[in-house]
Structure formats: structure tokens, C-alpha cells
Amino acid sequence: MSSLPFWLLVLVFAAAAAVVWIAGIQLSKTTDVLDTRWRIGSAFGGLIILAIATNLPEIAITVSAAASGDLDVAVGNILGGIALQTVVLVILDAFGRHGRGVRPLTYRAASLVLVLEAVVVVAVLAVVVAGSQLPQDLVIARLTPDVVLITALWIGGLLLVQRAGRHLPWHSGGASPDGSPHRSGHRRAEPQHPHRRMSTGLVVTIFSVSALATLGAGVVLERAGDAIAAEMGLSGVLFGATILAFATALPEISTGLQAIRQGDDNLAMSDIFGGNAFLPVLFLVATVVSGQSVLPRANGTDIYLTALAALLTLVYVVGLLFRPARRVLGIGVDSLVVLILYAVGIAGLFTVAA
């Protein structure tokens, strides 16, 4: 795509982003129906499906970048995507529910299960930092110890969330006394969109077509985005952590807004934390596809983005525990802190990458 004029590259990138948005909405709706009909709405089943469905663009970009040997884009997109997808919670807090007397998102969705999911994200990111210090030649059967440990932590985290969803030895099972009514890790509302009247076969077909469209659009985003970054003089990590990460976060935005409008505030936050814990698992995919050790090649900007993602996640952990009831500028205090920290962090990223 590098031979295309700049204006056409931007048009192709915008069209691919639109496909990702539309397909993401369909993925959300069909996943909603399949979770209900197949009774896999548990944290284990639900988080796996949602994590994979809403992160299909990242999967496509990671595989494409790893196959072409462009590991900088793959690493920058994954680590930058975690930080930006955490900021998606600010968007959901601002635009999910409006009106006088509406409490912030963390007040409504507060649950110890969500705290556990956020802790899993931070634990996985800690392994990312540790893995960056391993020798580059530590590759056995196209795998490295760090990516195997990340995958094991993700699976272990899902099992813990599933167990916590059934019972926690705390008051109200770990749920806040006046938050949104829900069962942790479950959808509490029957899907209210037309998909619920379709046959299961048709729903599966729509899901599959949407998944393929998202995969294809994800590859186009990566190719067009790489060419645009070259034209603008941006490094792969800067573009991957900002514009490309935002484009691939569109499914999470559409899924989260729909969940909140259906009254599932808990699910909206769970989708983000679940997806963020899943994203580093893609380093295993990148390692297998490229045959190279990925994390030891991480540079200073990659580790910087990892620390930023962990910091933003911890802010929401504090918000879930303290449940601030006030809204400032239309969002919760924790969301405002996250937004400020992200803006300062991205400004700092440009100085680190300079």
C-alpha cells in the first residue's frame, strides 16, 4: 500500500475502521444471543468469547505483523491497545448513561469480581516487563517461557473469576450493596435486539461473517496504517499506541455502550478487563508465527506503555473499591484521573520515543 497516495491511504484506513465498527456491533449482538442460548454466560465462557470476538482486529494485526517480521507494530499495538482500551472505560462512563442523579460507572458496577479481573491484568503486565529482560535466544519449540507464563496466568485468572462468580466469602458475595443488580460474569438481561428472534444457525452465520470481516479489516488497518505512519514520519510504536490502537478498540466501544444501555454495567467493565488480560496472550501467537522471541525485543517505549496500562488499571481498582459517587465534567473522579494520566502518558511517550 506504500505506493498509494496519502489521501487514498486515509480513505482506506477510515473504511476499514468503519467495517470494524459495524462488524463489532454484530459480534456483540450475536455473542449476546449465543451466550444465552448455549448457556455459556459464565465468566469463563463469556469472557473467552468476548475477549476473542472484540479483539479480532488485534489478532489479525498481530498475525500479519509477525508474519512480515514487523514485530515493533505487533508489540506497540498490543501494549498500546491495553492502555487505550482502559481509556475506553472513560468513554463508557461519559456516554453510557446520562441525566441528573446518574452515578459514575465504577459506583454502579462495583464488584470484587471486577477487582479480581483488574488484578489479573496487572499480573499479566508484570510478566510482560519481566519477560522483556530475558535473553533473545531463549526459544524452545517456537515458544518462550514468558509467553507461556502469560497464557497460564490468563487461563488461571479465568478459572478464579469463574469461581468468584459463584461465591466469594464476603458480604453479598463481593457485590456492592446498592450497585447495578447482576450476577458476576453473567448477562442479567435477555437480548432485546432482533437477533434474538433469529434461528441459532443464522446467528452463527452472522457471527462468522462478522468475524471474517473484522479479521480482513484488521489486516487492512495494519497495512494502511503502517503506510500512513511512514508518510507522517511516525514510528511504528507511536502509531500503534495511538491511532491504530484507537481504531482497533472500536468493537470494545460499541460492545460496552450496548451493554450499559441494556443495564449491564458490570459486563461493560468486565469486557474491558477481560480483553486487556487476553491481549498479552497474543505475544504467544506472535512468537509462534515469527519464530522469534518477542518480549526481549521490547524497547523503552514498549515498557513505558506497559507501565502506563498497569497504572490506569490500578486507578480503576481504587475506583471500584472506594466507589466515588460524584461526577466531574460528566464522568467519575477515577475516569477523570485516568484521562489526565493517559494524556500526560502519551505526551511522555513522544519524548521517550524521540
Side-chain angles (χ1 to χ4, degrees):
M1 288 190 179
S2 57
S3 60
L4 297 177
F6 183 77
W7 67 268
L8 186 55
L9 287 173
V10 174
L11 184 62
V12 170
F13 187 88
V19 171
V20 169
W21 175 270
I22 296 171
I25 293 174
Q26 296 303 314
L27 284 171
S28 173
K29 291 180 178 180
T30 52
T31 300
D32 225 358
V33 175
L34 293 177
D35 273 1
T36 301
R37 293 185 183 177
W38 291 346
R39 301 182 184 278
I40 52 174
S42 67
F44 187 76
L47 286 181
I48 289 178
I49 290 179
L50 286 170
I52 294 176
T54 58
N55 283 292
L56 282 171
E58 285 86 352
I59 296 174
I61 290 171
T62 300
V63 172
S64 176
S68 62
D70 196 359
L71 296 178
D72 285 346
V73 171
V75 173
N77 180 60
I78 292 172
L79 297 179
I82 295 173
L84 186 59
Q85 284 185 186
T86 307
V87 180
V88 167
L89 289 173
V90 178
I91 299 175
L92 301 183
D93 196 2
F95 300 103
R97 289 191 189 180
H98 308 280
R100 180 175 297 179
V102 175
R103 304 282 191 175
L105 180 60
T106 49
Y107 185 95
R108 303 193 309 267
S111 165
L112 289 180
V113 177
L114 289 174
V115 174
L116 176 60
E117 292 179 11
V119 169
V120 172
V121 175
V122 176
V124 169
L125 293 179
V127 178
V128 169
V129 175
S132 68
Q133 304 304 307
L134 294 177
Q136 293 187 10
D137 58 353
L138 189 59
V139 181
I140 305 173
R142 301 182 76 89
L143 291 173
T144 58
D146 45 7
V147 297
V148 173
L149 179 57
I150 286 172
T151 305
L153 276 175
W154 177 64
I155 295 174
L158 288 175
L159 293 173
L160 288 175
V161 170
Q162 181 190 36
R163 181 174 180 179
R166 292 196 302 265
H167 174 68
L168 276 176
W170 293 82
H171 173 66
S172 299
S176 54
D178 58 345
S180 298
H182 62 266
R183 291 181 296 152
S184 299
H186 293 71
R187 285 173 171 78
R188 72 174 181 85
E190 181 73 17
Q192 298 301 313
H193 41 75
H195 291 67
R196 67 189 178 92
R197 295 190 294 270
M198 297 178 181
S199 65
T200 300
L202 182 56
V203 173
V204 171
T205 300
I206 295 175
F207 179 91
S208 301
V209 171
S210 300
L212 291 174
T214 305
L215 282 171
V219 174
V220 174
L221 278 174
E222 188 270 328
R223 298 301 185 189
D226 190 42
I228 292 174
E231 289 280 346
M232 297 175 62
L234 285 175
S235 67
V237 65
L238 287 175
F239 189 82
T242 54
I243 300 175
L244 187 58
F246 177 78
T248 55
L250 291 175
E252 283 78 13
I253 297 175
S254 60
T255 300
L257 289 175
Q258 180 184 342
I260 290 177
R261 288 163 185 168
Q262 288 187 190
D264 288 328
D265 303 301
N266 167 265
L267 178 63
M269 296 200 71
S270 182
D271 286 352
I272 297 298
F273 291 146
N276 285 351
F278 169 76
L279 276 176
V281 177
L282 296 181
F283 286 126
L284 183 144
V285 178
T287 302
V288 172
V289 171
S290 67
Q292 303 178 54
S293 183
V294 177
L295 285 178
R297 300 173 188 272
N299 52 38
T301 54
D302 298 323
I303 302 305
Y304 179 91
L305 286 170
T306 303
L308 178 61
L311 178 61
L312 299 181
T313 303
L314 289 174
V315 171
Y316 274 119
V317 168
V318 174
L320 288 167
L321 292 174
F322 283 88
R323 304 179 65 210
R326 291 182 55 195
R327 296 175 73 95
V328 181
L329 301 177
I331 56 178
V333 175
D334 43 11
S335 292
L336 180 61
V337 172
V338 165
L339 187 60
I340 294 173
L341 287 176
Y342 183 74
V344 173
I346 292 300
L349 179 64
F350 279 86
T351 64
V352 173

